[in-house]
Amino acid sequence: PAPPPAPAPPPEPVPQSPEAVAVADGFSSIVAHLETLPLNGSEKRQLAEGAKGVDKLKEKLTYGGVEADVVNACHQLCGAVFARDYATAASVQLALVNSHWSAHKDWLKGVKFLTQMAQKKM
């Protein structure tokens, strides 16, 4: 029998825009801050889901899998959370879900959990 085909080479990381770097750092710092707070069992599970979502987002950013408009919206969402402007954060998050769910549902759900937890805890 013929040998199996060689596996596809791994994707190459792409250069990151300043906004993409800010998004990755911003969501990571939200997770890090929430991890320092006293959380009940369901909050710990939500935070774990949120952290998983951030990891998936960071991976997609690394390999150029996130459109510029989505990166800009995430940048706006992070800024709103840090400013404690949760109405704006929720509306940006909802707009992302409504327009980009099929391509980005693997991390949008986790980001929603983070936004909700930040509103309760930060």
Side-chain angles (χ1 to χ4, degrees), residues 38-78:
L39 303 174
N40 66 33
S42 70
E43 289 169 339
K44 287 177 183 171
R45 285 189 297 279
Q46 281 190 327
L47 180 56
E49 279 297 311
K52 258 194 326 203
V54 169
D55 288 343
K56 287 176 183 168
L57 171 58
K58 286 165 48 175
E59 183 179 324
K60 280 192 162 184
L61 286 168
T62 298
Y63 297 109
V66 183
E67 302 85 352
D69 62 321
V70 176
V71 172
N72 290 335
C74 288
H75 191 250
Q76 186 184 0
L77 195 155
C78 278

Side-chain angles (χ1 to χ4, degrees), residues 1-54:
E12 287 291 315
V14 299
Q16 298 295 295
S17 69
E19 291 80 14
V21 172
V23 165
D25 292 348
F27 281 127
S28 294
S29 66
I30 292 168
V31 170
H33 178 73
L34 290 169
E35 286 174 340
T36 67
L37 303 175
L39 303 174
N40 66 33
S42 70
E43 289 169 339
K44 287 177 183 171
R45 285 189 297 279
Q46 281 190 327
L47 180 56
E49 279 297 311
K52 258 194 326 203
V54 169

